Amino acid sequence: MKKYFLSLAVLSLFYSKSEACAWSDPDYEYFNLFTQSIIKDKSYLPFLHSYSTRFYNDFKPSLIPDENIDAWKRYFNNQLSYAQTEYLVNKMNMSDLNALKKGTPSNQLLVNLGPGFYTKYREGIDYLIEAKYLEPYMKINYIESADSFYYREPGTGKNATNLDYGKTISALTSLYNAAKNPEIKQRYGYQIVRFNHYTRNYDAALKAFKTYVEPLRLKGAPYIMALDQLAGAQRGLGMNSEANWNFFQVFKDSKSRKESAFISMKLSDTASFNNILKRAETDEDKNMAYFLLGYEDFNNPIPIMEKMFEINPDSEILKVMAVRSINELERSYLPIYYYTDDNNTTVQKNSTNSTVQNKTETEEPKKELSFWQKIIRFFKNLFSSKKDKSSNDVKEDQSDDELLENPNRIPVFSKNNYWYDDKTKDFLDELEKFTTKTKEKSKDEYWQIADAYLKFLKKDYKESTEILNDIKTNNPEYAEQIKRMKVLNDIVSQPKIDAEYEDYLMKNYSEYFIEKPEEKKDSTETDEYNYYGEVPSTADFLKDVLANRYFLQGEDGKSFLMNNKLSDLQYNPNSSLVKSVEDFYRKTDKTQFEQQIIAKNINDVGNIDAFFAVIYGDRAMRQADFEKAKAYYSKAQNFSGIPRTEWNYDDKKVSPLKYPSGAYNGFSNISDLVFGHNVWESFQSSPEESMKKEDYSAFSFIKPNMNKLELANALIQLKKIGSGKNQTAGKANQLIGNLLYNTSVLGYYRQLFVMDIDNSNGGKYYFQNTDQKNPYQYYYKNFLDRTYIEPDNFDLAINYYKKSLEISSDKEQKARVLFQMASAEQGKYYQYEAKNPSKIDYSDPKWSEKSDAYQARLDQIKNQRYRTYFAMLKSQYADTETARDLMGSCSYFGYFMK
């Protein structure tokens, strides 16, 4: 199972849309609502579910008990704590122990233990001194081979062959014979086996195990450690079956060596596994063997879990298999990111692309309506006007039943899998049946918790809560999981989030919404740099649930601010969304939840009123409503600049961007070249290189440098002048057309009315925009990853150019205007092309032939519908100086003319 999922995860890296950050980790792409690590036996933590690493590692290593330290703690008669014992055995310097032996200890722990400590535990201390002397050398000597491309970690360069073989074996044998305590004697035996293994004296290692370890008949930590070394020597001799069996014993009996023993086992084929299963005599051995098969299996783990259940329903490793399956389900059912494709079909982004599916899709079982409810709904539908189902009016007028039945509620599940597999789509049902059966047999409350969680995934929140309420447990980790799941059921099952329920949330669940001060992290357990940010949590999931509830209820502003900052509106200024955010900002009677949880995301954008006014003014300008734009811009004179940030190298932090004097900041410092025309299309060149001024002599109100209010005033005056019938009126209309074209997606000043600071390429300048007022089907999470802005209306520019063409009598001016009209018409074609993409499957054997036909059809449409003004320019104005200049500067026009 794991290997299959891993392969899918790798494939998904090539398919998935790129993230906002270049770094991506699949284990950061699910909410972890069901905490894997609540298993009681922490020695199995490495075998929990993970995609980013071979073994799960999201836990403190100290959680896994070390049987060797436990054995030493018992040897010292529990005189030391576990931490003190671990320090003495693994970290204390050999010189400190030698000082203790001489009666002159300086280490504070040894001083506190007193002078009698060495006398009482002489054999143990002497062994530790010898072990610490040997430890730096206890590595196998590296031999260059054809496989030597493997990376070797830098180290001291020491290995076992640096020691004199004869002297070392003689010394260890003498110490073994002299030791009286059987456990210490066995530890020396372990050292002899290990030394022979690491010097590649494999036969001697096998003999040493039989001579020095086995006869003592102790099966504690030293025996396990020696058995591990014996298995390594057997592997060196090619005794793979024997090696596997002994590594299997280490895996079974050790708590701290399970991961290394698993790596050492070679279970890459069925025969290797069957050899272990044949030798398994006890139920525990068989159960452990099935666990290994289930862990490595490619397919559905349920059949293996059934075998393990028959052996022991209380098995801890059976819980490990179950929690891995639950984690896999969660990744499929509760993705952290949704996006909508060009056809407005919502897809769940899930990097793991698991094959686990559910046959019921997203819809919850429909509730049977009463006769009276059906009558009410009939008349309601009969007399209601048909509205766009996505409109806020419809959203706000939904009943609780309609909200609960909405298939877009989360948690949600759909065929989000690019590798959808019908054979495994019933996995949730199968696992639920297994869990229900197991909770009846097992005494562990874990299975009840797991069953409740699966009910939660199936949206049966009532039954899930009833199961949780019946659980009685003293396990603090179980109790925390139960508490969290009750919160999930409560909030997710709520049909509508109103003011009363918001007060309820603050009273009962504020801890999940109020951010806590960041705790200082242990530098020894975390990397200096965290490329992936914070791991998604229960709080993040609940935030998403509420954001989606608000969205379905038509409260887009609140939905947006649950996941985004106010300043984020600068990147995708959707007008209806901005209005909803502003309405929330101006709301005077905000609930405590709205004030503390939602309004905190109204961050620093300078003067907030000016910020909104610029967005509205820009939209009015794009619609050529200059009077409305002026009204908004008059309220934006305190605008301090688009709220961008930059990295401050001196302070080593992100700081607000400081706009240089004279630089465009979203409102001020606009050149009069915005009324000109482009000499050549080069967005990277300076304005003076790419743009050329028109004759402004008749329009003294056009200043060389303007802010947006002055620009709107100038356009209002041009519009008034353009209502006349003289040559000046024609020029005025031409200038208005120029500005509308120059600030469109094709223009040099395309940044002016989309809240951007320059004309560099970016998401705002794609033609793949929709005509919808709101392209979002779920909510506004990952808003910055989504490209959306209302499309340009090129007809606005064309209509002003038409007025200029009708009025003007100057043939050169007419030629220039026609070329500008043709350029705007080209924009209309690009929009058509984006809305009608090729749907030919690349795997189609006739892909090339069909693609050529598709392109030929596009070319035909282009020439028939979108070459009107090029054709007029060619047929009526080819002899003008303007046309000849354009043929030299515009290669496309030159090609068309020829």
Side-chain angles (χ1 to χ4, degrees):
M1 181 179 180
K2 182 178 179 70
K3 194 169 184 179
Y4 185 48
F5 288 152
L6 279 173
S7 66
L8 296 183
V10 172
L11 283 171
S12 73
L13 294 178
F14 296 95
Y15 188 94
S16 300
K17 294 194 175 184
S18 60
E19 302 296 328
C21 177
W23 298 92
S24 182
D25 184 341
D27 284 340
Y28 281 64
E29 297 183 1
Y30 74 104
F31 293 104
N32 195 21
L33 301 183
F34 191 92
T35 307
Q36 292 192 81
S37 57
I38 65 172
I39 58 172
K40 291 176 180 176
D41 190 340
K42 304 304 181 185
S43 66
Y44 289 102
L45 288 176
F47 299 90
L48 299 177
H49 205 7
S50 173
Y51 279 114
S52 57
T53 54
R54 182 175 183 186
F55 293 98
Y56 182 80
N57 57 17
D58 190 20
F59 61 89
K60 293 181 179 180
S62 58
L63 285 175
I64 298 179
D66 187 334
E67 62 276 0
N68 186 42
I69 302 302
D70 286 331
W72 277 110
K73 188 171 180 292
R74 288 191 299 272
Y75 173 80
F76 292 124
N77 292 310
N78 296 313
Q79 191 171 340
L80 302 173
S81 67
Y82 183 93
Q84 289 172 327
T85 309
E86 198 272 335
Y87 170 69
L88 176 67
V89 173
N90 291 337
K91 299 175 183 176
M92 187 176 286
N93 293 326
M94 183 172 62
S95 58
D96 287 333
L97 292 179
N98 274 318
L100 175 67
K101 185 174 182 177
K102 293 175 183 177
T104 58
S106 58
N107 184 285
Q108 192 58 50
L109 173 60
L110 300 179
V111 171
N112 293 341
L113 290 171
F117 186 73
Y118 175 73
T119 304
K120 188 175 182 180
Y121 303 111
R122 178 191 302 268
E123 282 193 348
I125 300 299
D126 286 346
Y127 169 80
L128 286 173
I129 292 172
E130 181 66 16
K132 287 178 184 290
Y133 166 73
L134 292 173
E135 192 60 34
Y137 301 93
M138 287 302 103
K139 298 178 182 66
I140 201 161
N141 60 318
Y142 181 77
I143 299 176
E144 292 290 341
S145 69
D147 296 325
S148 296
F149 60 86
Y150 289 117
Y151 171 75
R152 284 183 291 162
E153 291 186 4
T156 61
K158 296 178 180 179
N159 64 70
T161 60
N162 297 136
L163 296 172
D164 185 285
Y165 180 80
K167 289 182 179 179
T168 304
I169 290 294
S170 177
L172 288 172
T173 304
S174 296
L175 290 168
Y176 175 89
N177 292 328
K180 304 299 182 185
N181 183 293
E183 184 178 325
I184 299 301
K185 186 183 284 286
Q186 195 175 54
R187 287 186 181 278
Y188 282 118
Y190 153 70
Q191 293 291 355
I192 296 171
V193 176
R194 180 166 74 150
F195 182 63
N196 278 301
H197 174 204
Y198 287 160
T199 55
R200 299 183 188 273
N201 291 291
Y202 301 133
D203 285 319
L206 270 62
K207 184 178 179 181
F209 185 83
K210 290 181 180 179
T211 304
Y212 302 112
V213 177
E214 265 188 341
L216 296 172
R217 300 185 180 279
L218 298 176
K219 294 296 180 78
Y223 178 84
I224 294 171
M225 294 157 63
L227 189 64
D228 197 19
Q229 295 298 321
L230 170 67
Q234 289 171 330
R235 180 79 71 211
L237 290 171
M239 302 168 61
N240 289 333
S241 181
E242 292 297 321
N244 275 348
W245 176 252
N246 286 322
F247 279 130
F248 175 71
Q249 297 301 312
V250 175
F251 179 87
K252 179 170 66 77
D253 296 333
S254 171
K255 292 189 176 295
S256 62
R257 294 171 179 266
K258 288 191 186 299
E259 184 178 325
S260 64
F262 180 86
I263 293 171
S264 298
M265 274 187 276
K266 303 286 187 181
L267 297 178
S268 57
D269 54 62
T270 306
S272 298
F273 168 77
N274 286 336
N275 287 334
I276 287 180
L277 192 58
K278 286 177 184 176
R279 297 182 66 168
E281 297 179 353
T282 67
D283 284 347
E284 184 183 5
D285 283 350
K286 291 176 183 177
N287 210 21
M288 194 68 68
Y290 281 124
F291 169 76
L292 293 177
L293 179 63
Y295 182 82
E296 285 287 78
D297 197 7
F298 296 180
N299 302 307
N300 189 336
I302 298 292
I304 296 295
M305 293 168 66
E306 291 284 3
K307 292 179 182 294
M308 296 170 69
F309 171 84
E310 292 301 325
I311 294 171
N312 181 11
D314 284 315
S315 168
E316 190 71 11
I317 52 177
L318 181 57
K319 294 194 307 188
V320 176
M321 293 297 294
V323 79
R324 287 171 55 82
S325 300
I326 290 172
N327 184 268
E328 181 62 40
L329 279 167
E330 181 178 319
R331 291 168 187 254
S332 295
Y333 276 71
L334 306 174
I336 64 168
Y337 179 33
Y338 300 82
Y339 63 87
T340 307
D341 67 13
D342 293 336
N343 297 318
N344 202 40
T345 302
T346 298
V347 182
Q348 300 179 34
K349 195 277 183 193
N350 186 318
S351 71
T352 61
N353 292 296
S354 151
T355 58
V356 176
Q357 302 291 336
N358 175 36
K359 67 179 181 180
T360 57
E361 292 300 306
T362 62
E363 296 181 5
E364 299 177 48
K366 291 188 177 180
K367 297 180 180 179
E368 184 66 30
L369 298 178
S370 68
F371 177 73
W372 182 245
Q373 286 175 313
K374 290 177 181 177
I375 292 176
I376 292 176
R377 184 166 291 186
F378 170 78
F379 282 103
K380 185 176 177 182
N381 293 334
L382 182 66
F383 293 107
S384 63
S385 60
K386 291 185 178 179
K387 298 179 183 178
D388 176 7
K389 289 184 180 180
S390 65
S391 71
N392 282 356
D393 290 340
V394 172
K395 286 181 178 181
E396 293 170 2
D397 192 31
Q398 297 175 88
S399 68
D400 284 0
D401 282 345
E402 288 171 321
L403 287 167
L404 284 169
E405 291 171 12
N406 193 313
N408 293 337
R409 287 165 56 91
I410 53 176
V412 68
F413 175 78
S414 65
K415 290 185 180 180
N416 61 309
N417 232 307
Y418 303 117
W419 293 275
Y420 187 78
D421 185 357
D422 286 330
K423 292 181 181 178
T424 55
K425 66 182 180 180
D426 298 330
F427 185 72
L428 174 58
D429 291 333
E430 292 178 31
L431 186 60
E432 183 190 27
K433 289 176 185 176
F434 179 84
T435 304
T436 302
K437 175 177 67 175
T438 310
K439 77 175 183 179
E440 300 300 326
K441 292 284 186 180
S442 174
K443 307 179 192 69
D444 197 325
E445 312 90 76
Y446 167 87
W447 293 103
Q448 294 168 271
I449 299 172
D451 191 40
Y453 185 75
L454 296 177
K455 296 290 192 299
F456 164 77
L457 288 183
K458 297 188 82 169
K459 303 181 184 178
D460 193 345
Y461 310 123
K462 182 180 179 181
E463 187 172 352
S464 177
T465 301
E466 288 175 355
I467 294 170
L468 294 170
N469 287 336
D470 289 338
I471 299 174
K472 302 291 186 281
T473 182
N474 295 319
N475 184 312
E477 289 184 298
Y478 286 4
E480 178 59 32
Q481 179 67 38
I482 292 168
K483 174 187 173 185
R484 186 186 318 141
M485 287 171 59
K486 285 181 179 179
V487 176
L488 290 172
N489 283 325
D490 189 350
I491 295 177
V492 172
S493 61
Q494 179 67 16
K496 186 168 185 176
I497 311 301
D498 53 19
E500 183 180 356
Y501 194 75
E502 286 174 346
D503 290 339
Y504 172 81
L505 289 174
M506 289 303 290
K507 180 179 179 181
N508 296 281
Y509 306 132
S510 60
E511 64 188 281
Y512 291 97
F513 299 102
I514 297 177
E515 294 179 6
K516 303 177 182 66
E518 289 189 17
E519 297 179 3
K520 188 175 182 181
K521 295 180 179 177
D522 183 351
S523 60
T524 64
E525 296 186 355
T526 57
D527 296 330
E528 181 179 358
Y529 301 103
N530 185 348
Y531 295 112
Y532 311 114
E534 294 296 322
V535 179
S537 63
T538 301
D540 294 317
F541 175 77
L542 292 175
K543 232 183 249 185
D544 284 7
V545 169
L546 292 180
N548 195 53
R549 290 291 184 276
Y550 291 133
F551 183 83
L552 295 178
Q553 293 168 197
E555 298 178 84
D556 288 47
K558 290 169 70 172
S559 176
F560 174 83
L561 289 172
M562 284 298 295
N563 297 110
N564 305 279
K565 305 290 185 184
L566 174 63
S567 58
D568 292 338
L569 286 176
Q570 67 183 284
Y571 296 102
N572 297 290
N574 176 305
S575 299
S576 60
L577 172 60
V578 174
K579 181 64 171 65
S580 186
V581 174
E582 184 191 19
D583 289 344
F584 174 76
Y585 160 66
R586 300 192 186 284
K587 183 180 177 182
T588 56
D589 58 341
K590 294 184 180 72
T591 65
Q592 186 185 1
F593 185 87
E594 290 174 328
Q595 292 175 39
Q596 293 185 238
I597 310 306
I598 305 178
K600 69 178 177 58
N601 284 328
I602 299 178
N603 62 330
D604 185 13
V605 296
N607 186 296
I608 295 179
D609 291 335
F611 178 75
F612 283 118
V614 168
I615 295 177
Y616 291 136
D618 287 351
R619 179 57 180 156
M621 289 291 264
R622 286 167 61 83
Q623 294 172 326
D625 192 338
F626 310 128
E627 291 79 6
K628 182 186 287 187
K630 177 184 176 181
Y632 282 122
Y633 287 149
S634 65
K635 302 173 184 177
Q637 296 181 75
N638 292 326
F639 186 70
S640 56
I642 298 173
R644 294 289 168 90
T645 57
E646 60 183 345
W647 178 256
N648 189 313
Y649 287 95
D650 294 330
D651 298 334
K652 294 191 179 341
K653 66 178 182 179
V654 175
S655 305
L657 174 64
K658 294 181 180 179
Y659 290 89
S661 176
Y664 173 67
N665 69 350
F667 186 74
S668 304
N669 298 311
I670 302 170
S671 168
D672 59 358
L673 283 168
V674 73
F675 287 109
H677 62 266
N678 57 298
V679 179
W680 69 325
E681 191 169 298
S682 174
F683 293 105
Q684 292 76 36
S685 301
S686 68
E688 292 72 24
E689 291 176 292
S690 290
M691 303 296 292
K692 182 178 180 181
K693 290 186 180 183
E694 303 285 356
D695 180 7
Y696 303 148
S697 57
F699 314 106
S700 58
F701 48 82
I702 296 180
K703 301 177 183 178
N705 186 291
M706 297 168 281
N707 62 34
K708 286 185 174 178
L709 178 59
E710 293 168 328
L711 186 63
N713 269 320
L715 285 162
I716 291 171
Q717 294 185 62
L718 286 172
K719 185 178 177 182
K720 184 176 181 181
I721 294 170
S723 63
K725 298 294 182 182
N726 57 17
Q727 191 71 17
T728 304
K731 189 67 177 179
N733 283 299
Q734 181 188 3
L735 295 183
I736 296 174
N738 283 357
L739 177 131
L740 292 174
Y741 176 79
N742 289 336
T743 55
S744 75
V745 64
L746 295 176
Y748 184 84
Y749 288 99
R750 57 189 182 179
Q751 74 272 22
L752 287 191
F753 303 134
V754 291
M755 260 299 184
D756 210 345
I757 58 178
D758 58 40
N759 65 15
S760 58
N761 284 321
K764 295 182 180 64
Y765 313 122
Y766 299 148
F767 281 95
Q768 288 87 344
N769 292 329
T770 69
D771 291 327
Q772 295 173 292
K773 292 181 179 179
N774 188 346
Y776 295 89
Q777 186 173 346
Y778 282 94
Y779 55 114
Y780 297 98
K781 187 179 181 182
N782 301 93
F783 179 76
L784 299 182
D785 295 346
R786 169 82 182 166
T787 299
Y788 178 76
I789 186 171
E790 293 96 334
D792 289 301
N793 184 350
F794 286 101
D795 283 328
L796 295 174
I798 289 173
N799 289 337
Y800 277 102
Y801 284 136
K802 280 182 179 178
K803 292 179 183 178
S804 176
L805 195 66
E806 291 169 359
I807 297 171
S808 178
S809 58
D810 185 288
K811 196 170 184 179
E812 293 293 336
Q813 184 180 346
K814 282 177 175 284
R816 164 56 62 185
V817 170
L818 271 173
F819 179 75
Q820 293 298 110
M821 292 173 76
S823 298
E825 192 176 40
Q826 180 79 356
K828 293 180 66 175
Y829 168 73
Y830 290 144
Q831 290 176 335
Y832 170 84
E833 187 180 65
K835 290 179 182 178
N836 296 274
S838 172
K839 296 180 181 178
I840 306 165
D841 193 329
Y842 191 72
S843 62
D844 191 322
K846 295 185 177 181
W847 178 84
S848 181
E849 178 185 333
K850 291 181 179 179
S851 294
D852 290 343
Y854 165 76
Q855 188 58 51
R857 174 63 178 158
L858 284 181
D859 291 342
Q860 182 184 28
I861 291 172
K862 187 192 315 182
N863 289 320
Q864 289 177 350
R865 302 183 195 173
Y866 300 100
R867 287 292 177 266
T868 310
Y869 305 113
F870 267 139
M872 288 177 63
L873 187 57
K874 179 178 180 179
S875 63
Q876 301 176 33
Y877 298 90
D879 60 339
T880 61
E881 186 68 28
T882 300
R884 287 193 288 272
D885 288 344
L886 288 170
M887 285 179 66
S889 61
C890 177
S891 58
Y892 189 88
F893 179 63
Y895 171 79
F896 183 84
M897 293 291 280
K898 293 174 183 177

